[in-house]
Amino acid sequence: MTNAPSAPDELTAAPIPGAALTPDRLPALRRRLQAVLIATQILGGLGIAIGVALSAVLAKEVSGTEALAGLASTASVAGPALLAMPLAALMARRGRRAGLVLAYLVGAVGAGVAVLGAAIGSFPVLLLGLVGFGAGSSANLAARYAAADLAEPDRRARAISTVVWATTIGAVLGPNVAAPAGESVAGLGIPVAAGPFVWASGVFVVSATVVAVLLRPDPLLTARALAGPEEASSAEGRSLKAGLRAVRASARARLALVTVAVSHTAMVSIMSMTPVALSHHGASIRLIGLVISGHILGMYAFSPVMGWLSDRLGRLSVIGLAAALLAVAALLAGTAGPSHVQTALGLFVLGLGWSAGLVSGSALLTDSVPQAARAAAQGLSDFIMNTAAGVGGLSAGLIVSQAGYGWLNVVGACLLLPMALLAVRTATRRD
């Protein structure tokens, strides 16, 4: 590695203050920055899970109808999609720290607006707040790429997967603190269902503070400084257009985008309608909760395994594994009928497939574009992923209402075909 900085602003932001960042100091820096990212990932995951646990309930209370309650999840998905590209542009110019702080603060403000909407009984204000609240999850998505910035190439997927895994802790704790969060606002003129958003706002503020104070030096700016002037010599090379050009120029980068988008869309589409399918077959709310918990376990808890496999066997092999797991999940869930056990198994495998696709696709994208264009290309990936998932979530309800849950899984499996074909084509050619 070289220690040549790429630009004057990075010269002050990247090296350790008062000392050159020599190769022997890099491992300790990696561990410290990863620890900060893991801590904020736990906090951010907790904040998101606290709010998501009761978002639909709150939307129903404010709107007065179940028909509009589904818009709560749509608004939460729209937030990350809307923030993805502005966030990528900011990080490309100023580094990961500025982008993560912004995303957490937007989430905090959004949660506060949602509480205001609930307090005054305004459904449009509530939805606006949920969009901002959902944008807070953009920080959790971007954190996986921050973990990859300084990782060694042969350990990059494991660095990504470790940060993804940390979300498990917050995701599990979140729903369990929703009840005390609701009770904490009793007597304050705030609906009990809005209490979790009060707590979520505070958690996001703490996350932003931890990033601002401890994520130093900035991992992206440091990586650019170490890469040398040939990789990050100009602002033009870091623009969103440059990121798009880099993706278009690389077959592997295009495969990475397709993998992340398809894996996320198939997962969101099938998962979002599984509670409805279970309820049609007599499942209790408690059972539905257990099935979704098993799904979340599959999504996050095994991500380090997916990272290890991706580093050892290669990104393309794990992309193939993702396609296979998602196809098996669709088969199991789509043919489960009244079998709650089979449905639960299908949702668990669905989570595993998502994890394999997200980790391997994110690592492949980072591998496949130049250092200068990575932040922009990664932002493009998150934008496409969340937009596609939003469309998939909306379409899932229509498919189930018109054709049934089984056909939704057929459609989800069909989405995997272009991903699998592109993976085969990419594996047999050189970029």
Side-chain angles (χ1 to χ4, degrees):
M1 289 185 180
T2 176
N3 195 37
S6 62
D9 61 328
E10 293 165 7
L11 181 62
T12 58
I16 297 174
L21 181 55
T22 54
D24 61 303
R25 301 188 61 163
L26 196 53
L29 177 62
R30 288 191 186 108
R31 290 192 295 271
R32 183 171 65 79
L33 294 181
Q34 186 175 60
V36 174
L37 290 170
I38 288 172
T40 56
Q41 196 79 345
I42 293 172
L43 288 171
L46 175 63
I48 293 166
I50 290 174
V52 168
L54 289 177
S55 60
V57 174
L58 184 60
K60 178 185 175 183
E61 287 184 6
V62 175
S63 67
T65 173
E66 289 186 354
L68 295 177
L71 290 178
S73 60
T74 302
S76 297
V77 171
L82 292 173
L83 191 61
M85 296 310 289
L87 197 62
L90 176 62
M91 287 191 292
R93 295 194 308 270
R94 301 284 299 278
R96 301 292 185 192
R97 188 169 60 251
L100 293 176
V101 168
L102 174 65
Y104 281 130
L105 291 181
V106 170
V109 172
V113 172
V115 173
L116 174 63
I120 65 176
S122 173
F123 189 64
V125 173
L126 173 64
L127 286 183
L128 178 63
L130 290 177
V131 170
F133 166 75
S137 65
S138 298
N140 278 39
L141 291 172
R144 76 189 193 276
Y145 288 125
D149 286 331
L150 290 173
E152 297 166 299
D154 62 347
R155 297 184 64 87
R156 189 169 283 151
R158 273 170 282 188
I160 291 172
S161 65
T162 299
V163 171
V164 172
W165 168 85
T167 308
T168 310
I169 301 174
V172 170
L173 290 177
N176 293 302
V177 300
E183 294 169 1
S184 69
V185 301
L188 299 178
I190 299 174
V192 171
F197 290 93
V198 176
W199 283 32
S201 182
V203 169
F204 283 149
V205 170
V206 172
S207 299
T209 303
V210 171
V211 169
V213 174
L214 299 180
L215 196 67
R216 296 174 181 272
D218 188 281
L220 178 60
L221 300 183
T222 303
R224 286 180 183 163
L226 293 171
E230 69 279 3
E231 283 287 348
S233 59
S234 69
E236 181 181 355
R238 301 192 293 267
S239 67
L240 294 178
K241 287 184 179 180
L244 180 59
R245 285 196 300 268
V247 170
R248 293 179 62 183
S250 170
R252 287 176 176 264
R254 295 195 297 273
L255 170 61
L257 256 68
V258 170
T259 297
V260 172
V262 168
S263 300
H264 195 56
T265 302
M267 184 276 292
V268 169
S269 300
I270 295 173
M271 180 272 294
S272 65
M273 297 309 298
T274 298
V276 176
L278 285 169
S279 65
H280 286 168
H281 291 289
S284 65
I285 293 178
R286 182 181 297 274
L287 178 59
I288 292 172
L290 289 174
V291 171
I292 298 302
S293 294
H295 169 66
I296 294 173
L297 184 70
M299 287 176 65
Y300 296 114
F302 294 88
S303 58
V305 176
M306 301 305 175
W308 182 83
L309 290 173
S310 187
D311 284 334
R312 291 295 299 270
L313 303 180
R315 319 302 192 215
L316 297 183
S317 296
V318 180
I319 288 175
L321 174 63
L325 287 171
L326 291 169
V328 170
L331 176 64
L332 288 171
T335 60
S339 174
H340 300 327
V341 173
Q342 185 173 328
T343 301
L345 179 60
L347 265 288
F348 175 73
V349 176
L350 184 70
L352 290 178
W354 175 87
S355 180
L358 183 77
V359 170
S360 60
S362 299
L364 181 62
L365 179 63
T366 304
D367 295 340
S368 303
V369 297
Q371 172 64 251
R374 280 180 187 168
Q378 291 160 350
L380 177 65
S381 173
D382 284 348
F383 170 74
I384 293 174
M385 175 181 78
N386 285 294
T387 301
V391 173
L394 289 173
S395 302
L398 295 175
I399 293 171
V400 170
S401 64
Q402 297 298 318
Y405 181 68
W407 279 104
L408 172 63
N409 283 272
V410 171
V411 173
C414 289
L415 290 176
L416 302 172
L417 292 176
M419 168 180 149
L421 292 174
L422 186 58
V424 172
R425 181 182 177 186
T426 303
T428 57
R429 59 168 288 182
R430 288 183 177 272
D431 229 359

